[in-house]
Amino acid sequence: MFELLGIPPQALFGQLLLGLINGSFYALLSLGLAVIFGLLNIINFAHGAQYMMGAFVAWMLLTYLGVNYWWSLLLVPLMVGATGIVLERLMISRLYHLDHLYGLLLTFGLALIIQGLFRNYYGVSGLPYSIPAELSGGTNLGFMFLPTYRGWVVVASLVVCFGTWFAIERTRLGAYLRAATENPSLVGAFGINVPRMITLTYGFGVALAALAGVLAAPIYSVNPNMGADLIIVVFAVVVIGGMGSILGAILTGFGLGIVEGLVKVFYPEASAVAVFVIMALVLLVKPAGLFGRTA
Amino acid sequence: MTVDTQPAIVGTTAVGTPRHHVLIFAVLLGLMLIAPFVLYPVFLMKVLCFALFASALNLLLGFGGLLSFGHAAYFGAAAYVSAHAAKVWGLTPELSILLGTSAAAVLGLAIGALAIRRQGIYFAMVTLAFAQMVYFFSVQAPFTGGEDGIQAVPRGNLFGLIDLANDRTFYFVVLGIAAAGMLAIYRIIHSPFGQVLKAIRENEPRSTSLGYKVNRYKLAVFVMSAAIAGLAGATKALVFQLASLTDVHWSMSGEVVLMTLLGGMGTIFGPLVGAAVIVTMQNYFAGFGAWVTVLQGVIFVISVLLFREGIVGVISRWIKKPL
């Protein structure tokens, strides 16, 4: 068996795959944050909790109602997205005229409530969610073994990310969205219902987080804290990528996942802080972030 | 960054010390001198430590307009350093606390220098992310004891003379530390430096055009805030004879923001009230487990939606005097 820089190839490619999987979730979540931030100017601190909700709702649907994975993939984003719409209408919409800081604090409070409730009912020990039969098993690629489900997650998140990018950057609806971020009153004057668009955008961002949660459920154990620590890494991803750009969120998400995987191979102790070290370096050189538009 | 719902901030324009502030400080100090004979001293020490911690955050947020969401990093790092100094190196309590405070100041200088390159909510996210880095460091570093933290830290003898093992004796030392920290913050706010800070908070580009080195002022207040947060953390470590991961976790950063928000951002006495309310709540509801988190979340949401001035902010508006 050949070796690469003294590392067995199985370990290297295994960690690379793991990095790519983590990167898929970073990308999906930072994309949702970017979409919400773009139109609402609110850092959605509840994003991690909504991702966790996605995984939990999928687990509940399967356990209590016998709804399978494929239906969950469709239903869960709709259901969790709907809770997002309610939150936006009832609470977040009251803060637009205030400093951005209040949006951050409100969603932080919401995250505490959601996580606390799930912790009360399900504890912290984590619940298993089995991989759907169609996606179990794997393929031997010669240099490594690729579990089918993991491959599926990477492909699915790539498709969703670039679908979202296409919708926002290349369609008429996306053009309205982008125009409304620049000048909401002018877009409203053209007869477009901007408040409704804002509400739906928040719902869509939340649905993206929930979708990520469903994808994550068979990989990680479903537990109330699964989003809490992830969200801070995603914040770092957002700072590195620069909030102005949808593409930045996607590319940085995948890129950092891979970098993290590589660090884990060569210097495992540093893998948890690698993202933050990169953030510090990027802030030194380019405070607006790699893809950011304004300083 | 403008924080537009805070009439209480008007108080910082007054040069010199308003008479009612002196009066309130005196009454508070008097009450706190009697308190340990009525209430449990360890509980009171916890309140004092968190009041100082929240005041340190308020110096940065309420008076500097900078929302740090990672202040647990300075609180926790100082707790680890002073616990290690007291336990392993056998330093006296005053030296351990001093060392912890200095460590927090150095950490604040390093993180602050990078964080002030971004503004507004980016600033909040950057401070949070760096604090998470400190957290991971604390999980893995050899001297922090990982999940267990540093336990059974000796309180030692103050100046080698006064035995701090007695809770009530230690209480008066902690009261002295907290009062000194509070007065330092009060002096900073009411100094020319504090006036420049206010100008920067209200209108940063104008302050720049007036020739102030805005970033230096921001960094200075960041380091001061980190150092005072460290003072609170170091003291807390000796009080509870424990430094653990809870002190550096980001939920601690959220908690101290909640105290400041609930008491009243940008008011002088708000953080004290906020800390007292939250610590009391945690003590009495400790048996309810995760419901405490839910309750804190609910308070957060209510404070943001309906009660942005905070408790002291509202009182200040009623009596039409800055508090």
Side-chain angles (χ1 to χ4, degrees):
Chain A
M1 208 58 182
F2 71 100
E3 290 205 346
L4 216 64
L5 300 166
I7 307 281
Q10 283 92 344
L12 180 66
F13 288 114
Q15 288 300 339
L16 268 182
L17 176 66
L18 207 63
L20 204 57
I21 301 268
N22 286 338
S24 307
F25 293 115
Y26 296 162
L28 276 175
L29 292 177
S30 63
L31 174 67
L33 276 180
V35 168
I36 292 172
F37 181 79
L39 199 57
L40 283 75
N41 258 321
I42 278 182
I43 289 290
N44 187 30
F45 212 115
H47 216 66
Q50 283 152 343
Y51 158 82
M52 178 270 287
M53 267 170 92
F56 256 102
V57 174
W59 179 87
M60 288 168 171
L61 285 177
L62 182 71
T63 313
Y64 301 140
L65 301 173
V67 177
N68 71 16
Y69 175 82
W70 300 104
W71 278 107
S72 282
L73 222 43
L74 180 71
L75 288 177
V76 171
L78 288 177
M79 290 163 71
V80 180
T83 66
I85 287 176
V86 173
L87 285 182
E88 198 278 341
R89 276 294 86 204
L90 288 181
M91 297 179 178
I92 299 173
S93 60
R94 294 170 201 277
L95 299 177
Y96 294 135
H97 63 288
L98 296 172
D99 194 290
H100 300 334
L101 162 173
Y102 288 109
L104 177 82
L105 296 179
L106 178 80
T107 48
F108 178 78
L110 291 174
L112 287 184
I113 296 174
I114 298 170
Q115 277 159 12
L117 286 176
F118 277 93
R119 233 184 337 242
N120 274 323
Y121 290 111
Y122 294 99
V124 287
S125 50
L127 306 161
Y129 187 102
S130 52
I131 295 174
E134 298 86 345
L135 296 174
S136 55
T139 339
N140 197 340
L141 300 178
F143 54 90
M144 67 174 290
F145 181 76
L146 175 71
T148 312
Y149 188 78
R150 308 211 159 197
W152 151 252
V153 167
V154 174
V155 173
S157 96
L158 275 173
V159 169
V160 172
C161 283
F162 285 94
T164 307
W165 172 81
F166 186 84
I168 290 175
E169 300 287 339
R170 292 285 183 272
T171 64
R172 181 176 290 258
L173 180 70
Y176 289 148
L177 273 175
R178 282 178 285 128
T181 61
E182 298 292 331
N183 193 337
S185 53
L186 188 68
V187 175
F190 283 133
I192 290 162
N193 189 338
V194 176
R196 185 190 296 160
M197 205 157 78
I198 289 178
T199 306
L200 291 177
T201 304
Y202 187 74
F204 178 71
V206 174
L208 274 179
L211 179 71
V214 183
L215 288 173
I219 298 183
Y220 310 107
S221 79
V222 179
N223 78 80
N225 296 329
M226 63 191 285
D229 293 323
L230 185 63
I231 187 70
I232 296 168
V233 179
V234 173
F235 279 176
V237 170
V238 161
V239 172
I240 297 167
M243 207 45 144
S245 153
I246 299 282
L247 203 59
I250 301 171
L251 295 179
T252 321
F254 277 104
L256 282 173
I258 293 169
V259 169
E260 213 180 42
L262 284 178
V263 175
K264 207 168 256 167
V265 177
F266 293 107
Y267 189 52
E269 291 82 10
S271 66
V273 292
V275 171
F276 304 114
V277 173
I278 294 172
M279 183 186 77
L281 293 175
V282 169
L283 277 173
L284 273 175
V285 180
K286 207 161 177 278
L290 295 177
F291 298 86
R293 280 179 296 204
T294 47
Chain B
M1 178 186 288
T2 52
V3 182
D4 55 358
T5 48
Q6 286 165 28
I9 285 166
V10 177
T12 56
T13 46
V15 179
T17 312
R19 200 183 298 157
H20 68 277
H21 284 175
V22 180
L23 197 69
I24 294 171
F25 268 122
V27 169
L28 276 180
L29 201 60
L31 284 176
M32 290 313 274
L33 284 172
I34 306 166
F37 300 98
V38 185
L39 294 163
Y40 183 47
V42 174
F43 165 73
L44 290 171
M45 285 191 273
K46 190 175 178 190
V47 171
L48 283 175
C49 290
F50 278 97
L52 186 59
F53 186 19
S55 302
L57 181 83
N58 188 40
L59 172 64
L60 191 63
L61 170 60
F63 299 98
L66 299 163
L67 172 61
S68 161
F69 228 103
H71 248 45
Y74 318 108
F75 184 79
Y80 275 121
V81 169
S82 60
H84 187 76
K87 189 178 181 183
V88 181
W89 296 337
L91 293 186
T92 53
E94 70 280 359
L95 283 178
S96 308
I97 291 176
L98 196 65
L99 206 62
T101 310
S102 321
V106 172
L107 191 62
L109 183 66
I111 294 180
L114 286 165
I116 56 165
R117 298 167 73 92
R118 300 306 313 262
Q119 291 176 334
I121 35 189
Y122 285 100
F123 177 84
M125 287 159 66
V126 170
T127 49
L128 178 63
F130 277 124
Q132 199 63 2
M133 196 164 155
V134 175
Y135 175 79
F136 283 126
F137 177 80
S138 309
V139 172
Q140 292 183 335
F143 76 95
T144 55
E147 300 281 335
D148 301 329
I150 305 178
Q151 297 177 351
V153 180
R155 284 181 181 174
N157 298 328
L158 187 68
F159 306 117
L161 295 170
I162 308 161
D163 184 13
L164 295 181
N166 183 315
D167 282 341
R168 209 168 284 165
T169 315
F170 199 6
Y171 169 82
F172 289 108
V173 176
V174 174
L175 180 61
I177 291 172
M182 288 294 305
L183 287 178
I185 292 173
Y186 193 85
R187 284 314 308 153
I188 293 169
I189 297 165
H190 290 83
S191 67
F193 173 82
Q195 299 297 314
V196 178
L197 271 187
K198 181 168 183 285
I200 294 171
R201 189 192 65 209
E202 298 300 330
N203 194 334
E204 188 169 329
R206 184 180 289 173
S207 310
T208 310
S209 72
L210 284 171
Y212 290 112
K213 302 260 187 274
V214 167
N215 278 351
R216 267 189 219 170
Y217 279 89
K218 282 188 182 174
L219 185 58
V221 74
F222 194 95
V223 173
M224 289 174 198
S225 174
I228 298 170
L231 177 64
T235 312
K236 197 232 98 184
L238 290 189
V239 168
F240 288 94
Q241 307 181 284
L242 171 73
S244 73
L245 288 176
T246 322
D247 301 332
V248 270
H249 194 252
W250 62 264
S251 53
M252 177 68 83
S253 304
E255 226 159 71
V256 73
V257 174
L258 176 60
M259 291 172 185
T260 311
L261 180 69
L262 179 65
M265 276 187 231
T267 66
I268 292 156
F269 302 101
L272 311 185
V273 175
V277 171
I278 297 291
V279 172
T280 308
M281 197 186 85
Q282 286 171 345
N283 260 38
Y284 282 94
F285 296 156
F288 292 98
W291 285 113
V292 179
T293 321
V294 177
L295 188 62
Q296 281 184 359
V298 171
I299 297 176
F300 238 115
V301 169
I302 292 174
S303 300
V304 172
L305 285 177
L306 308 168
F307 200 58
R308 278 183 289 274
E309 292 161 293
I311 297 168
V312 172
V314 169
I315 298 174
S316 166
R317 183 156 50 85
W318 282 345
I319 63 173
K320 296 191 175 66
K321 275 185 179 155
L323 288 175

